[in-house]
Amino acid sequence: MRVHTLTLNPAIDETITLDRLVPGQVHRARGVRQNAGGKGINVASCLADWRTPVSAHGLLGRDNAAPFEALFAAKPITDAMVRVDGATRVNLKLVDADDTTDINLDGLAVTDETLATVLDGLTAMAAPGDMVVLAGSLPPGCPPACYATLVARLRAQGVHVLLDASGDPLARALAAPVLPQVIKPNRDELAAWAGEALPDCTAVLAAARALHARGVEQVVVSMGSQGALFVTGDGAVHAQLALPPLGPLGVASTVGAGDAMVAGLAAAHVAGLGLAETARLATAFAVAKLGMAGPNLPEKASVMALAQDVIIGPRP
């Protein structure tokens, strides 16, 4: 079984570490790094660290494809990205001791012809029983119903689909006749879909169960320091683990933790894990990522040790 990730709006993530971000002030950076990124790219990177066979699909600008190509070669990740003229966007992440501030740019505009090339390539490579992770925002020119249409196409050929999106693309996918088997919104994304505030875990659980009742087999809601809720036909559990010590950059950052959790869900699916063990592994992926620079996981033994420390309980 292979996992395929789709990233239609990739980015080079430039992370600038600060002591403290003060609007309107001049800052001296403590560190700067660049990583090939985009949600699906990050998921593929973590899965490759876990030694799960993975292919990366999507769009890349030819002008600055080198960081992505280096990542794919080093991991290894099967490179199924389609190159287009221009440069992939560069997103800024300003990280201080308290928070992360994202400054995201629009991606390369996509034509109908180029989009068809990407999606046809994905559906041709994804075999029945494989998992496809559809992740991230859509670039200019991409129809908002792209994910909704693609979910139906993939499921018709026996592919297991995990969707990690937000806003209108997510809403359209969840309003479609054919739904993804798995979604992983955070609390804010779930609240936007529900059209109401979700002030506590009881409200989050009710919204997640409503999605499950509509036909989404597995709803996973990440809630930051409050852990995550996992809802399936087998029930609902809450998973949580204390944050690890500060990482090599001296900052415990949440950058990429959600993407790592998605990778953990995909890895659990490949391994055929049940509800509780899926919650353990996905949570361990997310927490393990916090101490790492870039879209990477530590050694497998470290992730497994964290998984054993994840507290699994009934829904709070």
Side-chain angles (χ1 to χ4, degrees), residues 68-298:
F68 296 90
E69 292 166 350
L71 175 69
F72 299 154
K75 286 290 185 173
I77 298 166
T78 299
D79 181 0
M81 305 289 287
V82 173
R83 272 59 168 180
V84 297
D85 292 337
T88 300
R89 62 183 177 149
V90 177
N91 287 341
L92 296 179
K93 296 180 182 297
L94 307 179
V95 178
D96 67 11
D98 298 321
D99 211 344
T100 298
T101 300
D102 291 312
I103 303 174
N104 292 342
L105 304 180
D106 282 339
L108 288 165
V110 61
T111 65
D112 291 343
E113 181 181 8
T114 301
L115 181 62
T117 299
V118 174
L119 302 188
D120 288 349
L122 171 62
T123 54
M125 285 184 64
D130 283 356
M131 169 172 266
V132 170
V133 177
L134 309 177
S137 60
L138 299 178
C142 191
C146 177
Y147 285 147
T149 303
L150 186 56
V151 168
R153 185 174 173 182
L154 289 167
R155 290 204 59 178
Q157 63 185 63
V159 174
H160 199 85
V161 182
L162 189 164
L163 176 62
D164 183 18
S166 60
D168 194 26
L170 174 62
R172 287 174 182 260
L174 294 179
V178 180
L179 301 176
Q181 286 99 333
V182 187
I183 64 167
K184 195 224 65 72
N186 60 34
R187 186 199 296 241
D188 291 341
E189 291 164 349
L190 183 62
W193 172 82
E196 60 182 5
L198 303 176
D200 53 37
C201 288
T202 299
V204 172
L205 178 62
R209 281 184 162 160
L211 274 174
H212 179 262
R214 290 193 65 250
V216 181
E217 296 174 11
Q218 183 179 52
V219 181
V220 180
V221 187
S222 53
M223 302 183 295
S225 62
Q226 291 183 291
L229 283 172
F230 295 74
V231 178
T232 72
D234 294 327
V237 299
H238 176 255
Q240 190 165 20
L241 179 64
L243 297 181
L246 295 182
L249 295 181
V251 176
S253 170
T254 60
V255 173
D259 300 336
M261 177 168 278
V262 170
L265 292 171
H269 173 74
V270 170
L273 302 184
L275 174 58
E277 291 310 306
T278 293
R280 287 187 187 279
L281 187 63
T283 302
F285 266 53
V287 176
K289 166 66 194 73
L290 298 181
M292 300 293 292
N296 304 299
L297 288 181

